[in-house]
Amino acid sequence: MNPAQTTPQQTRQESPRKRADARRNHERVFAAALEVFEEFGLQGTVPQVAERAAVGKATVYRSYPTKEDLVTAVVRHRLAELGRITAPALAEAEPARAFDTYVILLFENLARDRLLSEALAEGRSTTYTGPLLDRLAALMDEARSAGRIRPDANPLDLRVVLCGMCLQLINLAERNPARWRRYGELTLQALRP
């Protein structure tokens, strides 16, 4: 059909269909990105995402102009999921127990999510890990006030121990949640009085 022959009614009918297609493509791209970055971490690529979503790279770039935009969206989503998973730990009345439970849940989840574990290990932008580390530091402060954390422990200590453990587990290509849990327990022991 010649564009000059297109009627306003035809254009209105095509627009909702195009918007629905764009929305479906966006959802497919995001779902594919979750899988690719969970599996490959920061080494995941836009072409891998496009291939897994069964779309062209241009479709990915329409939703996410840069790989960094896509990574940021995935990390934010993963942090929100982690927030839902750890919410019961945060509701724990006893501060030391809340801190312990949160750290163990964090390590178990990092074992399954290469992107989030790499972002934490590499100290990627505080946009990614700042809220997570702030939450952990606040929990640690409460546990320290209760006498369950070394009096000299500070947020930098927490970051060095926790992120250092993550970095080494990533370097060893370790993905076993039980092994990650063990190192979460060792992290807790390092911070105990």
Side-chain angles (χ1 to χ4, degrees), residues 82-93:
L82 183 63
R84 285 189 293 278
I85 291 166
T86 58
L90 296 175
E92 177 67 45

Side-chain angles (χ1 to χ4, degrees), residues 7 22 28 48 50 57 76 102 113 126 129 135 138 146 158 176:
T7 67
R28 286 173 42 198
Q48 287 172 311
K57 288 188 295 186
R76 284 188 179 140
Y102 190 92
D113 191 333
T126 54
T129 58
R135 182 174 295 127
L158 174 66
N176 180 342

Side-chain angles (χ1 to χ4, degrees), residues 29-52:
V29 164
F30 190 72
L34 289 173
E35 292 174 6
V36 167
F37 291 126
E38 181 178 299
E39 186 177 339
F40 298 104
L42 294 168
Q43 301 306 311
T45 65
V46 169
Q48 287 172 311
V49 171
E51 182 179 337
R52 197 158 299 184

